[in-house]
Structure formats: C-alpha cells, structure tokens
Amino acid sequence: MDNKLVFQLLQCTPEGLTQSEAEARIHKFGPNKLPEKKVNPILQFLSFMWNPLSWVMEAAALVAIVLSNGQGMPPDWQDFVGIVLLLLGNSCIGYYEERGAGKAVEALMAALAPQCTVKRDGNWVTMEAANLVPGDIISIGIGDVIPADSRMVVANNVKIDQAALTGESLPVGKEPGDEVFSGSTVKQGEAEAVVIGTGLNTFFGRAASLVAGANEGMGHLQQVLAKIGNFCICSIAIFLVAEIFVMYPGFRYRYRRGMNNLLVLLIGGIPIAMPTVLSVTLAIGAKQLAEHKAIVTRISAIEELAGVTILCSDKTGTLTLNELTIKTEAVRQYSEVSVDDILLFSAYASRVENQDAIDKSIVESLHDTSLARKGIDVLDFIPFNPVDKRTQVTYRRQSDNTVHRVSKGMSQIILELCTRDMTPEVEQKLHADVDEFAQRGLRALAVAEETVPSGDAEGEGTGFRLIGLLPIFDPPRHDTKETIERAIGLGVHVKMITGDQLAIAKETGRELGMGDTMYKASILNKPDELTGIANSVDELVLRADGFAGVYPEHKYEIVERLQNLGHMVAMTGDGVNDAPALAKANVGVAVADASDAARSAADIVLTEAGLSTIIEAFIHSRIIFQRMRNYAIYTCSVTIRIVTTFSILVFAFKFDFPPFLVLILAIINDGTMMTISTDRVKPSKSPNAWNLKEIFSYAIVYGCYLTLTTLIFFVVVDKTNFFQRHGCKAFTNHNDFSFHSVIYLQVSILSQGLIFVTRSQGFFFTERPSLFLMIAFVIAQFVATIITVYANWGFTEITGAGWHWAGAVWIWDIVWFIPLDFIKFGMAAIIERFAQASSPPAPGEPVSHDQVELARQRTRMSMEAAQNVTRISTIPSRGASYYAPNLHDTVTHRRNFGSRVKNLLTKSGKNLSMDNNELRRLQSTQAQAASRVLTGQH
C-alpha cells in the first residue's frame, strides 16, 4: 500500500489536519493511550487483609469465635470483635495513606506525559501524544519514542530501534513508505510520518490485550516482606506446637484453658501491621521524593536507590550547564577560509529548527542568525547521531549554482573524513590545538568542506578539506563540586561517563574534584593495553574516575562490569545514547529535559536540572529505607519476645495470660507504629541493603533480652517479697487477675520502648524522634498504665493493680531499657566484622580474582532474587505474591511499553516477534480500519 492510498483512506494530506478535524476524530477513535487499569477501591481496601500475616490473624478470629468454647463458657466474642476491628483499622489506615500519596505523585507525573510534535492547521505544535488521531502528521527525531503506529512520509537517514517487535538487535533503516510502530525509538535521523493507528489499534495496543492478565512478577521488597513474615509465622508455629504438647499431654490442661494460651501466641506474635506500615512508608516516601524534584516511576527503585554505591554520571547537562558558547576569538584556521566563513559554513551544517545545544550555539555565533540559510538551498541534511558523531549538509549556492558539502563533528571523526590537503603538519597542528583546548576545558568541533562538481546531492565530492576548529565552552554547574563532595561523604563514588575527549574529561574532573584517573573507553576492548595500568578490565573499571570517548555500548559494559563486581549502580543520562545503560543500571535516572527514550528507560525522572537533585534523592531514599529497616527489626523482635515470653511462662509456671490483653497490646502497638512512616531518622553514611540475617539476628537477641526482663520480673514478684516491701500489694498466686495487669504493663512499656533503640544509630537520646511517634508512644503507654491501675474486666481476667505496681513496673522497665543501646552497639560491631569480609571491592582498591568471582556469585544471587522471582522455590520466598497488592506502584510505570509487553508475552508463553511482511500487512489493515471508522462503516 503506497502513501497516496494511505492519505486517501485516512482523508488527509501531507499538510496534516486542522484542529477542528482532529477534535472530531478523537471522538471517533478515542485518545491515543491504553486504557488504564483502575484499581477497585474496595478490592484495594480488602487487599490489606489478604496476605499470610492477615490470614493468621483471621485464623485467630475463627479460633476465638468457633473453637474457644465449651466447659459452660460462651465463645470468646470479645477477642473476635477486637481482632476484626484491628484488621479493619489496619486496612483503613493503609488505604487512606496509600491513596493519598498515590494521587499526589500521579498529579506530578501528569507533567511528564509523553509529548510529540504534530502539524495542525499547517503549523508545527507540541502537544501530548494522547491527543494524536489517525491522519495527523508527526515529526520525529533522534531520541524520540514513536507515539503511534505511523507510515513514513519524509525520511532523512532514519534508523529505528524496533527490537521489541521483530527481535532485530540493530536499528533498522527506514525510508518513505515504511512503517514505524509505537514504542520503538528513533536512534538516528529525522522524519515526518502520518499516523495510522492509535491507542488499542496499535501493534502494542493489541499485544497488551493479549497479556492484560499476565503476572509481571514480584519485586524484591515483596520477597523481603514475605521472608520477614514467614520468619514470624515459623517462630509462632514452633512455639504453638510446643505449647500444644506441653499443655495437653503434659499438664493435662482443660480444652478452653489451653485454647486461650494458644490465642495469646496467635494474636500477639503476628505483626499484622507490617505490610501496611511498609507500603505506607514507601508511598509517603515517593511523595516526599517528588517534592524534592525526583519522580519515582517504579516504587521499588526507592530501596535500590538507597543501596547505590557507584553513580555513573553523564557530563553534558548533568555535571555541566549544557549552555554552550563558541569562543570566536579562539577559532583555529587550517586554510585560507576566514573565521567568519568557518562559522558560516558550520551554521550551514546546523539545524535552524529543533536545535540541539551545539547547533544553537553555532547559529547564535553569527551576527545575524538568518545567514544560516540565506543564499543557499539545502539539498540534503544528515543530523547528528551518537554513532557517526557528526552532521553533514549538502547545499546549492544560489549566487553561482554550485553544489558544496560541509561536515562538522568530533575532531577525530572529521580528521578521518578529510582526504584533501591533509598533511602530517596539518594533522599534528590539529592534535595540538585539540589538546590545548582540552587543557583549557574547551570542547573542539572540527569543520570540513568539499565541492560536488556533478551538482547532484548524492554525487561524489572533491574530497573533504579541514578548514577550522571551533572551541566550545560548557561551564560546570555552580553546585556540582559541592554535590560530588556530598556524594563521596555518603559513600557513593561518582564516575564521569562522557563522549567528550579524554583531555576535556580530565580537566573537568580536576575542576570538580572528581579526580583525573580517566581513560579512553576504547581500552575496555584492548586488554593488551592494560599493562602497567591495571591487572584486569574489571580492576580498571573500578579504579577509574571516568571514561571519555564513550559509545552507547561502552556505557552498557561499564555498568554491567560494576554490577558483576557486586556494586549497586545508578546511571544518569538525558539522550537516546544513554537509554541502554539507564535500563541496565539498578537505578536509571533521567535528568531534567531528558529525551523520551531516556525517560522511558529510567526508574526516576528528575524535574530539576543538576546533580544536586540526585544527591537529595539518595539521602531521602536512605531515610525511607532506614524507616523500613527499623520497623522490620522492631516487629521481628516483638514477635520473638511475645512467643518466647508467654510460652516459657506457661512451661515454667503454668501462667495463663488473657488473650484479650494481648489483643489490646497489638492494637495500641500497631497504631503507634503507623507513625514510623514519617519518623525523623538520620540517613546512613553508607549505602543500604536488606540483610535479613542481620535483621533476624538483632530480632532474636533483642527478643530474648526482653523475654529475660519479664521472666526475672515474674520470678522476683512470685518468689520474693521485694516489691511488697516497697508498698506494692501481694498477689494470691501467679494467676492472680491483678498480676495479669502488671505483666501486661511490663511487656507493653519495654516492647514499645524498643523502637527508640532500633530507630537510632547511636544512643537513643541523641536522635530526636518525630513528634507523631512521641505523642503516639505517650498516649499508648498512658492507656496501658490506666488499664493496669483501674481496669476491672472480669470477662478477660484482669483487675486493677494500683499506682504502686504501675510505678514499680515503670522503674523496672527503665532500668532494663538502658542496656539495650549497649546490646545494639555490640551486635553492630559483630555484624560489621562479618560484613567487611564479604563486602565488594571499593573503587581504587586492587581487585583479586577471588574477589571478582565472589562478587559475581553474590550479584547473580541478588539479581535472581530481585528479578527472576519465578526461579525462587525456597520456603522463605513463598507467599511473596500475596504482599503485592500492598506494595504496588503508586504511579503508572512509564518505562518503554514495548519492553514491558515483550516481557509479559515471554512469561505468558506467547510470541511477540513478527517479520516485516506481517508488520506491513498489519499497517494496511490498520489504515483500512481507520477508513471505515471515518466513513461510518464500522
């Protein structure tokens, strides 16, 4: 099907549509976007009660209302009602906070909606891609993501990356009449195309309908949550089984008495609020990051950002201002061509519309910008691309009707292009000038020209001749040096990855305090040149402060090698050449004003320019991670504390603690812990990572210590008259109802006080908690104290013990609270000693073969845990999918949709790839379908 027939079917022309025609068509075709899958609010609310932890609590409710009866006593409806209220309250808080944070971030994400350039009413305008309709004429260029299925009308040296469609690994050249599909990326050239299909009537739209129900897998945090939950469940299960055997066959307990003790473990040991607390912490964290100009497109990227050890930063636009200026007084000449003419020829080889920074600086260096096209007719223009690294124009001079060709670009590329009047002296002078510019922090842009005697735009020329070298200055941002120092202070090594020349990279590195241990990227593929520099390529990559002359494949390789050495890598970028490395990195960061391709590959999109925003994102992600880690240690510790304390009290003293008091303990405790999501914590000075062995070790030690405090207290009260000598009333036996109240208060104060130890890195009093956490703690313990002093609840076997006992318990718990900090310091020292032995090699250190192999093994394990979750079959990871609803992204994931659909189809067993003939038939079908809609035949 040729383009004439396409225009006829779509009832449009190469001049595009009018605004009124487009508005009429959008009513017929709908917006150019896939239908968003809205989460049912009721299902979202109920999802907080659908995970293994909630199941255990729900089982406890059933035990209370169904199994806890007999012996002339009614079912334990008080515990049943309390458990249901706890579940509902937990869901209400999680639902409210998550919905609120999600809406706030979505509002900010709306500003990043994909844009496109379209011809309306005969003029090129920029608008949201969602407003495209069949028949629109769009303009696409390097770095753009194709916004809709289209047919090429004008193509200028265009190459498209459509690997997700056809499986081709290399970009494919496109000519007028060829098809391009939404989601593919322009890697080279510029073009105009007519839109044929939008929304669901695109290739990827139809693919999406095939995989609408496909499972996208579980995130790393979901697996961490599952393992923590299973640790708690297994702990409870062990002591439940032990209690059953001890109480019934051993002690010959009556049925109802034993059930009450089992309920204590079920209710008190389950950290029912954990999924809610962690999901709310992430949701609020994403909102806070957005307020600091860092929009998270993948919520699990927050925990990964907290663990970044190396930041690979693009230079232009990130470390520098990307506001280029030509130093006209320093232009170098290599022929009789004057400086003014060199600038003019350079302007000929530049775009005058849709300019990049270099073209803009060159055109603006002319005293009259209109001279860039005055007196010439452009016959052919080849725009810049990251592979060829030059532009080229073929033009006819109107004054004498002769045809000429001009090329400008990277000095080495232009030097290889020149064949006329090129002598060793000229080449030596060029290299000397480039080195001089580099030492002064200037980029060099070479210019060459040739004549085309045949007058044909594609005719052979007389050979390019070097005529000039332009010095370009791109000053560093005012805050970059300070920001890099902050990054180093956070334990993050910053590496410069740039396409500029090595000398310029070194000068910039010295100016910014990054170091100047930099190399040409080509050395990565030349191991024989490493002699005297490094023992291996891995060691070179780790030791280097940066690389220059980098191509896209080099960026990808650098990130991959650093990951294989056990490092978490963040990569910043703004152009299409950065997209592969952004997607490969653990955290891809698209800087402000990044191209569509870069944004679609990134996990975090910055809305403010500069490196400082990234460092703020590092700090806030670590704060968020610390909140989650602190809570994880706390909740596991409390589980160990509850199950060991009350099991041992049953085994040793036949102590029957009322399950209703444990329920009150859980309700007050969970309500207090909700405030942890906004707690004031100090970010760690080094990168973070989930270490479950560390968390479980802390939990067991803390839990056992807290158990010890209760057991000693119990023995002192039951076996001595120490407290009675100080004014406290005596108990009739160790199952005295007043004794129940006293044990409740002792467990409540010290258990909840533990959060102040786990949340701090030093002594607990050196780090002030948030006001909300302090108020919640005070209210919770005030209520617990009042219950202990005054409660006379016969149904749950507690009686007020008076103020003397309340005061005694407070003093006891304060005394035993003090050693907790020293236990923390001792545990930290032991864990740090083991961590040093297994940590990845640091930048600047020699890398042994054993270290490399150990790091690669560790990296493979972590990558499998984080990504290939379907391969995990160990018991601790089972059930992770049930936590997914509580940890879903608060915003739509805006990665390249093609890659996403391809991944989903692969998992679902379907094949996405199509050959080119099938793709052409698809577009013919699309055009005919659009024609039927326009004529009202559908």
Side-chain angles (χ1 to χ4, degrees), residues 464-481:
F464 277 101
R465 175 182 62 150
L466 182 68
I467 61 172
L469 190 71
L470 305 180
I472 305 177
F473 179 58
D474 182 15
R477 295 183 180 276
H478 69 281
D479 62 344
T480 299
K481 185 174 182 179

Side-chain angles (χ1 to χ4, degrees), residues 1 126 134 458 478 907:
M1 182 182 295
T126 300
E458 299 180 359
H478 69 281
K907 291 178 182 179

Side-chain angles (χ1 to χ4, degrees), residues 333-339 341-342 421 449 465-467:
Q333 300 169 258
Y334 303 97
S335 67
E336 75 285 354
V337 180
S338 67
V339 170
D341 284 341
I342 292 173
D421 298 342
E449 63 83 29
R465 175 182 62 150
L466 182 68
I467 61 172

Side-chain angles (χ1 to χ4, degrees), residues 188-209:
Q188 179 178 310
E190 297 172 332
E192 295 178 14
V194 58
V195 174
I196 291 179
T198 59
L200 281 175
N201 192 36
T202 61
F203 177 82
F204 280 129
R206 297 185 179 193
S209 64

Side-chain angles (χ1 to χ4, degrees), residues 315 317 319-325 441 472-478 480 508 511-512:
K315 179 178 76 70
L319 301 177
T320 62
L321 288 171
N322 197 22
E323 295 178 359
L324 305 182
T325 303
I472 305 177
F473 179 58
D474 182 15
R477 295 183 180 276
H478 69 281
T480 299
T508 304
E511 185 176 350
L512 296 175

Side-chain angles (χ1 to χ4, degrees), residues 162-185:
Q162 55 182 32
L165 284 78
T166 63
E168 297 165 297
S169 58
L170 297 176
V172 179
K174 295 291 183 178
E175 301 293 337
D178 287 344
E179 62 291 323
V180 289
F181 291 90
S182 62
S184 50
T185 305

Side-chain angles (χ1 to χ4, degrees), residues 8-69:
Q8 182 179 347
L9 287 172
L10 297 178
Q11 301 176 24
C12 63
T13 69
E15 294 303 312
L17 303 174
T18 65
Q19 186 62 32
S20 58
E21 289 175 331
E23 290 174 356
R25 294 190 180 201
I26 204 165
H27 288 296
K28 293 183 177 180
F29 294 98
N32 177 39
K33 60 182 180 181
L34 298 177
E36 294 185 9
K37 186 179 179 181
K38 295 292 185 181
V39 180
N40 187 303
I42 297 177
L43 293 179
Q44 184 179 356
F45 174 80
L46 294 176
S47 70
F48 286 95
M49 291 185 281
W50 189 251
N51 58 69
L53 297 179
S54 295
W55 295 343
V56 175
M57 191 61 80
E58 288 153 11
L62 291 176
V63 169
I65 197 68
V66 176
L67 300 180
S68 291
N69 51 39

